[in-house]
Amino acid sequence: MALSMPFLLLLLLLSLLLFGDAKKYGQYRGGKWKHAHATFYGGNDGSGTMGGACGYGDLNQQGYGLQTAALSSAMFNDGLKCGSCYEIRCTGEAKWCLGRRRSIVVTATNLCPPNWDQPSDNGGWCNPPRHHFDLAMPAFLTLAKYEAGIVPVAYRRVPCKKKGGMRFTITGHQYFNLVLVWNVGGAGDIVRMRVKGKKMGWVDMKRNWGQNWQSDIDLTGQSLSFRVTTSDERVSTSWHVVPPSWQFGQTFISKKNFRAK
């Protein structure tokens, strides 16, 4: 059956509206729920969760707090999922869960490594191909009782809501620069990073580990701009966010961040 021209125009308008909204806010707006399990680590004060495989350091100082998780290797993807955010709810027995409608949002800040000495269903919770969240203890205790130890959960990818602009911390030395990118909103995880000095064009950086991105050129004495691409293909450019007088060990704050609706 042929469609009328007004109906086709209406479909086109709706598609443009939906596409534009996805480009503006990203694709992670609450997807389908998936199944996994969750445990906890780090103690009640969360001190054992600081640092980690993403490189964020002191999670309290960096603004991530204790609503964080170490992902199993099947989810961690060698660090590419660092900074991504997930909504999690407990789906186990009522005697262990604190409410099936209760959910929390956590940021991926660490890796839960495989334990090959234990079977996947008895201690090797983070062995591939399992999807597993090792939560900071305070986060786990908002979903389930301490005595549960491990609980089945449902999870879905959601946008990260961060306050203020993206942060860039520069370490290394003259010909080996590492830039840690953190406090990233929207998708939260970065798939491409570029740098531009005042005296040079855009150069691709290589991901070294976690969300530390590497360049092997001399950038000292130049104002620096960074171009960040997240996993939902959104791009943000922080022009001249680093002044020419920058020093290794300093952190610089962009006026920009990715929005999460």
Side-chain angles (χ1 to χ4, degrees):
M1 181 178 67
L3 298 177
S4 65
M5 184 59 68
F7 186 72
L8 288 172
L9 290 174
L10 178 60
L11 285 177
L12 177 61
L13 178 60
L14 288 173
S15 298
L16 289 172
L17 287 173
L18 290 172
F19 177 80
D21 191 59
K23 283 294 183 181
K24 184 177 181 181
Y25 296 111
Q27 65 186 22
Y28 304 117
R29 300 175 62 190
K32 293 182 179 180
W33 291 93
K34 300 178 181 179
H35 298 290
H37 284 78
T39 49
F40 61 84
Y41 76 115
N44 195 45
D45 62 354
S47 58
T49 66
M50 299 298 109
C54 291
Y56 295 134
D58 190 319
L59 300 176
N60 288 320
Q61 291 184 5
Q62 309 292 57
Y64 293 102
L66 300 178
Q67 297 293 100
T68 60
L71 304 182
S72 61
S73 56
M75 300 180 66
F76 191 68
N77 196 16
D78 195 30
L80 279 173
K81 287 297 180 285
C82 286
S84 55
C85 294
Y86 302 86
E87 184 180 6
I88 303 173
R89 64 188 185 195
C90 185
T91 60
E93 297 179 34
K95 65 178 181 179
W96 301 125
C97 294
L98 298 178
R100 292 194 174 191
R101 293 186 178 182
R102 178 179 300 187
S103 68
I104 59 172
V105 174
V106 296
T107 304
T109 59
N110 204 353
L111 166 68
C112 181
N115 183 356
W116 301 115
D117 293 330
Q118 300 291 337
S120 297
D121 60 351
N122 187 22
W125 312 123
C126 292
N127 294 351
R130 291 178 66 102
H131 283 204
H132 190 90
F133 295 88
D134 203 12
L135 300 171
M137 184 188 288
F140 181 89
L141 294 179
T142 62
L143 291 178
K145 297 178 181 179
Y146 175 89
E147 294 78 11
I150 178 172
V151 292
V153 296
Y155 78 94
R156 62 180 179 175
R157 185 81 179 266
V158 294
C160 300
K161 298 180 180 179
K162 304 300 180 185
K163 295 181 180 180
M166 286 181 286
R167 269 70 162 173
F168 305 93
T169 300
I170 306 177
T171 57
H173 53 77
Q174 185 175 4
Y175 292 103
F176 178 77
N177 308 293
L178 277 182
V179 179
L180 172 67
V181 191
W182 50 285
N183 198 55
V184 181
D189 52 344
I190 299 169
V191 297
R192 189 182 186 189
M193 177 79 171
R194 308 187 80 194
V195 61
K196 183 184 184 308
K198 185 178 181 180
K199 303 175 184 178
M200 49 178 276
W202 288 103
V203 175
D204 281 316
M205 304 182 76
K206 297 178 293 185
R207 195 175 63 85
N208 188 293
W209 65 281
Q211 282 298 354
N212 284 280
W213 294 78
Q214 170 189 339
S215 68
D216 302 321
I217 53 180
D218 185 2
L219 299 172
T220 56
Q222 301 183 63
S223 63
L224 304 179
S225 303
F226 294 115
R227 181 164 290 167
V228 173
T229 304
T230 50
S231 62
D232 56 354
E233 300 182 351
R234 297 164 73 196
V235 180
S236 178
T237 303
S238 299
W239 290 101
H240 307 293
V241 65
V242 179
S245 58
W246 65 270
Q247 300 291 322
F248 292 106
Q250 291 182 314
T251 297
F252 302 92
I253 304 176
S254 175
K255 295 180 179 179
K256 294 185 176 183
N257 209 332
F258 295 97
R259 294 179 62 188
K261 190 173 182 179

